[in-house]
Amino acid sequence: MPPRAPDFGPAIDPYAAYDGQRRCDPAAKPGVLAFRDLLLAAYPGTTSLGISRECSAEGVSEHKEGRAFDWGVNVNGQAHIAADLLDWLLATDRYGNKHAMARRFGIMYIIWNRRIWKAYRADGGWTPYTGRSPHTDHVHFSFSWAGARKETSWWTGARHAGPRVSVGVPSVVDTGSGMV
């Protein structure tokens, strides 16, 4: 059974844009840790296959920025568990907001069973995924920086978790280092 959702109003977070790994800071980010804990509590018997990856690991991955999570469910025997969560994350809420919970968590994309769902191309639905791993033994979740930092409406309860704006202070460019 999916996690219990707060009673949100009609305002919702925008879809997460694609923001791939730019640097290496593998410390697990608070939103990803909290999402992991929420899933493991909601689905006993499932496992965490990790959040962080070593900087020396091959390829580009949000795991190297501590903003991706691999949820250990297997397509052989646990597909119904994955479907339960994914259906909940991508469902339209009572206000007509498509993919409501994925948006409220700041999920950028999901990979499962040779398919990928991209928030930044949400209208495309699930499309074939042809990467090295077919993701049949886990579901991969990559998060926006807002989701990774717990700045989305799931965590804040805010009506809209838009960008933060400061007035009267020098501007600093956030390079996505995860340093807060």
Side-chain angles (χ1 to χ4, degrees):
M1 177 165 268
R4 185 180 190 103
D7 187 19
F8 294 108
I12 194 163
D13 308 78
Y15 284 97
Y18 179 75
D19 188 10
Q21 178 207 345
R22 290 189 222 157
R23 57 180 40 190
C24 192
D25 176 13
K29 304 306 178 269
V32 183
L33 286 166
F35 181 81
R36 176 203 63 195
D37 294 347
L38 197 66
L39 290 195
L40 296 179
Y43 298 97
T46 63
T47 60
S48 169
L49 297 183
I51 293 172
S52 300
R53 298 285 185 275
E54 296 282 329
C55 294
S56 60
E58 187 178 323
V60 174
S61 171
E62 290 81 34
H63 285 292
K64 294 180 183 180
E65 292 180 325
R67 59 187 182 104
F69 167 59
D70 287 339
W71 182 40
V73 292
N74 196 299
V75 73
N76 297 315
Q78 294 178 309
H80 66 286
I81 296 170
D84 185 64
L85 176 70
L86 297 174
D87 289 348
W88 177 75
L89 285 171
L90 301 178
T92 300
D93 69 12
R94 65 182 171 152
Y95 302 104
N97 295 309
K98 294 180 179 181
H99 315 110
M101 294 305 163
R103 292 166 66 183
R104 291 189 185 285
F105 280 110
I107 293 173
M108 189 168 63
Y109 63 87
I110 303 167
I111 307 171
W112 165 242
N113 194 17
R114 298 179 176 89
R115 300 178 309 152
I116 184 169
W117 177 85
K118 304 169 186 174
Y120 46 94
R121 292 196 181 132
D123 288 342
W126 286 97
T127 58
Y129 177 75
T130 58
R132 267 191 302 164
S133 167
H135 292 77
T136 55
D137 62 350
H138 70 281
V139 180
H140 172 94
F141 299 94
S142 277
F143 292 82
S144 66
W145 278 106
R149 292 179 177 142
K150 288 182 86 172
E151 296 172 350
T152 57
S153 62
W154 178 272
W155 308 112
T156 67
R159 296 184 63 88
H160 170 68
R164 295 179 178 187
V165 177
S166 298
V167 178
V169 294
S171 175
V172 176
V173 175
D174 180 358
T175 60
S177 68
M179 304 294 279
V180 179

